[in-house]
Amino acid sequence: MSEPFPRGLRLTAPAKLNLWLHVNGRREDGYHLLQTVFHLLDWGDRLVLRRREDGRIVRQGGLAEVTEEDDLAIRAARLLQAESGIDAGADIEVEKRIPAGAGLGGGSSDAATVLLGLNRLWGLEWPVRRLAGLGLHLGADVPVFVAGRSAFAEGVGEALTPVDLPEQWYVVVWPGIPVATAAVFQAPELTRNTPALTISALSGTPETRNDLQPVAIRLCPAIGESLAWLSQWGQARMSGSGSAVFLPVVDEDTARGIVRDSAWPAWAVRGVNVSPTLRELEAVPGAP
């Protein structure tokens, strides 16, 4: 008799781009109110999850400089285990491709992918909304990766409205220096009063920008250098709180040509509206 869930999973934890990011205000608890558009990418970290029967959560791989206590993938597994009361455990192997501190959502995506994968491996059958709510305790970007759709986000990033975006190619350049998100948001000169857009305005051509970009460039001048270089081919912009920058291009060949000329780590990547994680989970034999 076959088991109702697989013993192991290989999943992609996709990166994301913030096509723009506006800071609309600040709550009394210190969290900032944001509006942004997340475009998921068909590229990211690779995770291998295996079910254990001894209840242990065991990390394999990942970033050596990140402790288990700070590893969002491990924290996600332990949180789901505690909240569900499951006796099973998991081996979690992470092959990192997304640079840390790049504004591409690597840690948040790893956490979301663990929640989605262990939900299947442990046979919990929690709905996506419940997993996303749990993910919000780990980070504001986790829910969009759990939902698995490119989206317009509001609030602290958790209020999501799926949007269909052109699945175009991008060049992503990382200047090789991580930026601490907290340092960017705590900067006194950060713009915090950009007027909010309505979702209906997105159907037009509203004026947009990344409000975090000037602060991040001051903290990390290499961001400005990589932006200036990439802007030779069009309107480049920083993703999230940095330090990666990106440029939309017309096709894959153009993207790969620019990547070859980059003095920094760079990737030709394609935007997608449905997360590769969801597609991979749907392809698992016996998936509901």
Side-chain angles (χ1 to χ4, degrees), residues 110-163:
D110 292 347
T113 302
V114 166
L115 292 176
L116 291 165
L118 293 186
N119 186 51
R120 178 66 54 81
L121 282 182
W122 290 344
L124 299 177
E125 299 185 2
W126 281 22
V128 166
R129 181 180 296 274
R130 188 175 182 185
L131 291 173
L134 194 64
L136 187 59
H137 294 289
L138 299 164
D141 286 351
V142 176
V144 72
F145 291 111
V146 172
R149 299 290 193 278
S150 290
F152 171 60
E154 300 180 275
V156 298
E158 87 292 357
L160 303 170
T161 302
V163 293

Side-chain angles (χ1 to χ4, degrees), residues 76-204:
R78 290 174 176 166
L79 182 60
L80 182 61
Q81 186 184 54
E83 292 294 319
S84 66
I86 190 79
D87 291 329
D91 291 323
I92 300 175
E93 181 180 347
V94 180
E95 177 189 345
K96 290 298 295 180
R97 298 179 181 177
I98 306 171
L104 300 175
S108 295
S109 185
D110 292 347
T113 302
V114 166
L115 292 176
L116 291 165
L118 293 186
N119 186 51
R120 178 66 54 81
L121 282 182
W122 290 344
L124 299 177
E125 299 185 2
W126 281 22
V128 166
R129 181 180 296 274
R130 188 175 182 185
L131 291 173
L134 194 64
L136 187 59
H137 294 289
L138 299 164
D141 286 351
V142 176
V144 72
F145 291 111
V146 172
R149 299 290 193 278
S150 290
F152 171 60
E154 300 180 275
V156 298
E158 87 292 357
L160 303 170
T161 302
V163 293
D164 287 326
L165 301 169
E167 295 193 335
Q168 65 184 76
W169 284 84
Y170 297 94
V171 175
V172 176
V173 175
W174 182 53
I177 302 173
V179 170
T181 299
V184 175
F185 276 105
Q186 290 168 4
E189 72 270 29
L190 175 65
T191 297
R192 296 182 171 90
N193 60 354
T194 297
L197 293 173
T198 62
I199 192 168
S200 61
L202 300 183
S203 60

Side-chain angles (χ1 to χ4, degrees), residues 255-271:
R256 297 197 181 282
I258 295 173
V259 165
R260 283 194 296 269
D261 289 340
S262 177
W264 299 279
W267 301 271
V269 298
R270 185 170 63 92

Side-chain angles (χ1 to χ4, degrees), residues 185-267:
F185 276 105
Q186 290 168 4
E189 72 270 29
L190 175 65
T191 297
R192 296 182 171 90
N193 60 354
T194 297
L197 293 173
T198 62
I199 192 168
S200 61
L202 300 183
S203 60
T205 55
E207 183 178 346
T208 60
R209 60 185 179 273
N210 185 337
D211 284 335
L212 308 184
Q213 185 171 300
V215 174
I217 290 174
R218 178 182 65 78
L219 294 173
C220 179
I223 296 174
E225 296 169 9
S226 57
L227 268 172
W229 179 80
L230 195 54
S231 295
Q232 298 177 85
W233 291 278
Q235 185 177 3
R237 184 171 286 176
M238 187 183 78
S239 180
S241 58
S243 59
V245 300
F246 68 93
L247 175 74
V249 294
V250 294
D251 54 32
E252 181 180 4
D253 288 343
T254 301
R256 297 197 181 282
I258 295 173
V259 165
R260 283 194 296 269
D261 289 340
S262 177
W264 299 279
W267 301 271

